[in-house]
Amino acid sequence: MKIFIAPLPKNANYIYTCPRTRLMIREGLAKLPKVEIVEHTTSADFIVFDYVPHDGPNKYVKDELLKYDPTKLVIIDNSDENNVFYTDDYFLYFKRSILKVDKNTGIRTKIDLQERTYPFDYGILDGFIKPQIDKFIDVGVYLRPSCY
């Protein structure tokens, strides 16, 4: 499988990007033996687009998305906006922020996910894990109803 990772747009506001997301995508794909990262969209089976700014004036990037074939487009949305989908025209959409919180009550509810949209959790880069240490890693999971 050939994957093209879309470059950051020329007008990207780097202050509002999430470089950790881009690093995790590359690290994860590099571990898959049947995946090859390619340099051009023409030879790609899928196009990974991960420039979804966390904040700032250049929030919506629809013009950038229109450059790519939607039948190959895989969006990785690591933004904190649970109510915003940056396009309706994609092959797969992975969204991190899927809970909305009522500011008055603090009650969390899951948003309605669009078709072919899947939630994902925070990841940990390999560089942050020391394999020589023999201990458990505690992970908090706050999506269960018993947590709120």
Side-chain angles (χ1 to χ4, degrees), residues 90-124:
Y90 55 85
F91 178 67
L92 293 173
Y93 198 115
F94 293 93
K95 187 156 186 64
R96 183 187 54 78
S97 190
I98 62 162
L99 294 180
K100 61 183 173 184
V101 179
D102 183 305
K103 292 181 181 179
N104 296 320
T105 64
I107 295 174
R108 296 174 181 95
T109 55
K110 183 179 167 217
I111 64 170
D112 293 328
L113 296 176
Q114 299 179 144
E115 185 179 0
R116 297 180 323 280
T117 300
Y118 303 94
F120 73 95
D121 291 330
Y122 282 107
I124 301 173

Side-chain angles (χ1 to χ4, degrees), residues 54-84:
H54 282 256
D55 200 356
N58 299 325
K59 183 60 103 175
Y60 304 100
V61 290
K62 187 127 182 148
D63 290 345
E64 287 295 320
L65 292 170
L66 293 174
K67 294 179 181 179
Y68 302 110
D69 179 351
T71 65
K72 297 180 175 186
L73 189 60
V74 177
I75 298 174
I76 312 292
D77 181 349
N78 196 32
S79 74
D80 292 327
E81 292 188 320
N82 56 28
N83 60 340
V84 175

Side-chain angles (χ1 to χ4, degrees), residues 2 6 14 26 30 36 38 43 50 58 64 70 77 81 84 93 108 124-125 127 129 134 138 140 148:
K2 295 180 179 179
Y14 293 94
R26 286 197 173 273
E36 175 188 353
V38 296
S43 60
D50 73 320
N58 299 325
E64 287 295 320
D77 181 349
E81 292 188 320
V84 175
Y93 198 115
R108 296 174 181 95
I124 301 173
L125 288 163
I129 299 173
D134 187 22
D138 290 328
Y148 50 88

Side-chain angles (χ1 to χ4, degrees), residues 129-146:
I129 299 173
K130 296 180 180 178
Q132 68 273 17
I133 295 175
D134 187 22
K135 72 175 196 175
F136 292 103
I137 297 175
D138 290 328
V139 177
V141 180
Y142 302 103
L143 300 179
R144 295 181 303 225
S146 62

Side-chain angles (χ1 to χ4, degrees), residues 14-73:
Y14 293 94
I15 293 172
Y16 300 115
T17 62
C18 184
R20 180 176 44 90
T21 301
R22 185 159 282 251
L23 289 171
M24 283 190 288
I25 290 168
R26 286 197 173 273
E27 185 176 271
L29 290 174
K31 291 176 183 252
L32 300 172
K34 294 186 178 182
V35 168
E36 175 188 353
I37 296 176
V38 296
E39 298 299 319
H40 301 285
T41 60
T42 52
S43 60
D45 298 312
F46 299 102
I47 300 164
V48 174
F49 187 90
D50 73 320
Y51 178 68
V52 180
H54 282 256
D55 200 356
N58 299 325
K59 183 60 103 175
Y60 304 100
V61 290
K62 187 127 182 148
D63 290 345
E64 287 295 320
L65 292 170
L66 293 174
K67 294 179 181 179
Y68 302 110
D69 179 351
T71 65
K72 297 180 175 186
L73 189 60

